[in-house]
Amino acid sequence: MEHLRWRPSVNEREFIETALQSDLRVDGRHSFDFRKLRISFGREDGSSEVQLGETHVLGYVTAQLVQPYRDRPNEGTLAIFTEFSPMADPAFEPGRPGESAIELGRVIDRGLRESRAVDMESLCVVAGKHVWSVRVDLHILDNGGNLIDAANIAALAALSTFRRPECTVGGDDGQQVIVHDPEVRDPLPLTIHHMPIAVTFAYFGEGNIVVIDPTYKEEAVMGGRMTATINSNGDICAIQKAGGEGVMSSVVMQCLRIASVKAADITSKIKKAVDSYTTEKALKKVKRLPAMLPQKINVIDVTMEDKVDGELETQTVKTPSEVQEISKGDEDHRNLKGNSPLTGDRIAKQKQTSTFSGGPSN
């Protein structure tokens, strides 16, 4: 379906090349300026969405327990899969991946696996039997040019936020793997040593004109392309020269120096986006309760009264103020009874009757 790909006319080609000779680009950028980068994350861990200008890429990471390779029994695996939808570009065929999809997957896979960016030994559960296999799916939603850089950023962002379930080894033989639910034990993040950033350069006019982050129209006019994968420390992880015009070694060295600066800038943006996502998710897990102020609680007295003839027991509740009034009234009543003459006569009569001896009368 190459005939469906956009092809510039003669006037459009001359206009783009003439503008590049004057250090101008169609979208108003300079030769070594990236387009606006926006990184967002989904609800689940391990999903990212990257927009680089008009290029739109979605990344998603999953993991499962598999048997390791025989030559590397103590290491997990990492695989990159790409999907080019015809919705992103009419030149993309549905079904089997084309050359561009295979090239994109290989460049990103080489930058991540060959540079040992992800610690594979930490993915081992039982040596020779069970390891974690991490899969990165990259979906191209809109092709606005420079798919390699946008897909590489989406893969790194998704890997940085991915959490695999925690598992323990038990059983009688010590070989049984128990995968814990995320609600029981917190999932574990991947161990990422560094972030290899892909920076793509486009060459025009026999390799004399070099621009960074080419657009869709510039890719249709360019004579060659080179992708350099470099981390923030300046270490070269991979270089991909996809044919086209030859380039002088001095130009390649200049591109590597520029790529090192751009890689450090993009790495800081990815880390900042990941930190904000992690902080926001941690705040959602914490249940914030209002501050409890100490309050004086009055404990009430409860008295039980028994009822005869099978009646139900009733409760009479008396507040502390009523209890104080009743107790005060009882003391006054006792004082009155002690001071009255009637109480004195009653006490004397009780003493006389207590001294009487004899039986009942007939």
Side-chain angles (χ1 to χ4, degrees):
M1 297 181 67
E2 289 293 333
H3 63 282
L4 295 178
R5 185 176 179 84
W6 179 80
R7 295 180 180 275
S9 62
V10 177
N11 292 334
E12 289 176 336
R13 181 183 295 271
E14 291 180 355
F15 176 78
I16 294 175
E17 293 178 351
T18 305
L20 290 174
Q21 293 177 359
S22 303
D23 195 16
L24 296 175
R25 303 175 74 172
V26 178
D27 52 4
R29 292 180 294 156
H30 293 288
S31 299
F32 302 115
D33 291 343
F34 261 93
R35 289 172 291 179
K36 185 178 179 180
L37 176 63
R38 190 176 72 87
I39 304 173
S40 58
F41 301 94
R43 296 182 179 179
E44 298 182 359
D45 293 334
S47 62
S48 64
E49 184 178 348
V50 173
Q51 286 186 347
L52 183 61
E54 296 181 356
T55 304
H56 198 176
V57 181
L58 179 67
Y60 192 75
V61 180
T62 56
Q64 62 178 352
L65 289 173
V66 297
Q67 291 185 353
Y69 296 114
R70 293 182 179 180
D71 56 343
R72 294 182 178 180
N74 299 327
E75 297 182 2
T77 60
L78 175 65
I80 307 294
F81 294 89
T82 58
E83 181 181 352
F84 282 45
S85 173
M87 178 183 65
D89 192 342
F92 297 156
E93 297 181 3
R96 296 181 59 186
E99 295 181 0
S100 55
I102 296 174
E103 179 187 3
L104 175 64
R106 287 180 178 177
V107 171
I108 298 176
D109 181 77
R110 187 183 303 115
L112 289 174
R113 279 198 307 113
E114 299 299 332
S115 65
R116 312 288 292 180
V118 181
D119 188 4
M120 295 300 177
E121 294 183 357
S122 64
L123 301 177
C124 178
V125 180
V126 179
K129 290 189 176 182
H130 300 286
V131 296
W132 286 103
S133 175
V134 180
R135 170 175 175 149
V136 182
D137 291 288
L138 300 173
H139 302 271
I140 309 302
L141 304 181
D142 195 0
N143 181 18
N146 195 12
L147 291 176
I148 296 178
D149 294 5
N152 181 79
I153 296 172
L156 290 174
L159 289 171
S160 301
T161 58
F162 175 69
R163 301 290 185 271
R164 65 173 178 84
E166 185 177 358
C167 56
T168 55
V169 181
D172 298 336
D173 56 351
Q175 301 294 323
Q176 183 180 359
V177 179
I178 302 173
V179 180
H180 299 279
D181 191 82
E183 297 179 356
V184 178
R185 292 191 180 183
D186 293 335
L188 302 177
L190 298 178
T191 303
I192 301 177
H193 298 298
H194 61 92
M195 290 189 177
I197 305 298
V199 182
T200 301
F201 298 88
Y203 300 101
F204 300 87
E206 299 180 358
N208 298 326
I209 301 175
V210 182
V211 298
I212 201 171
D213 186 22
T215 61
Y216 184 77
K217 293 182 178 180
E218 290 174 346
E219 287 182 345
V221 179
M222 67 182 181
R225 181 182 62 192
M226 184 187 74
T227 300
T229 305
I230 302 180
N231 58 16
S232 59
N233 300 326
D235 301 328
I236 300 175
C237 303
I239 295 179
Q240 172 77 7
K241 178 70 170 62
E245 299 178 355
V247 183
M248 298 291 293
S249 60
S250 59
V251 178
V252 174
M253 295 302 298
Q254 180 187 4
C255 293
L256 294 178
R257 288 191 293 268
I258 296 172
S260 178
V261 177
K262 298 298 182 181
D265 184 23
I266 295 175
T267 301
S268 62
K269 292 181 180 180
I270 296 175
K271 290 183 177 180
K272 184 178 179 180
V274 172
D275 292 341
S276 61
Y277 168 78
T278 305
T279 304
E280 182 181 357
K281 188 172 182 179
L283 292 175
K284 289 181 179 179
K285 289 184 178 180
V286 177
K287 295 181 179 180
R288 296 192 173 275
L289 300 177
M292 299 299 294
L293 299 176
Q295 298 179 357
K296 184 178 180 181
I297 301 175
N298 296 326
V299 181
I300 58 177
D301 296 336
V302 180
T303 59
M304 305 294 295
E305 294 182 357
D306 296 336
K307 298 294 183 178
V308 295
D309 299 334
E311 293 184 1
L312 296 175
E313 297 179 355
T314 58
Q315 298 180 0
T316 59
V317 181
K318 299 178 181 179
T319 60
S321 58
E322 294 177 353
V323 173
Q324 293 177 0
E325 292 178 359
I326 294 173
S327 60
K328 185 176 180 181
D330 292 343
E331 292 178 359
D332 297 341
H333 183 65
R334 291 172 185 171
N335 295 333
L336 290 175
K337 290 174 67 177
N339 297 330
S340 62
L342 295 176
T343 55
D345 297 341
R346 292 177 181 175
I347 294 172
K349 290 181 179 180
Q350 289 178 358
K351 289 181 179 180
Q352 292 176 3
T353 56
S354 64
T355 56
F356 178 80
S357 60
S361 61
N362 297 326

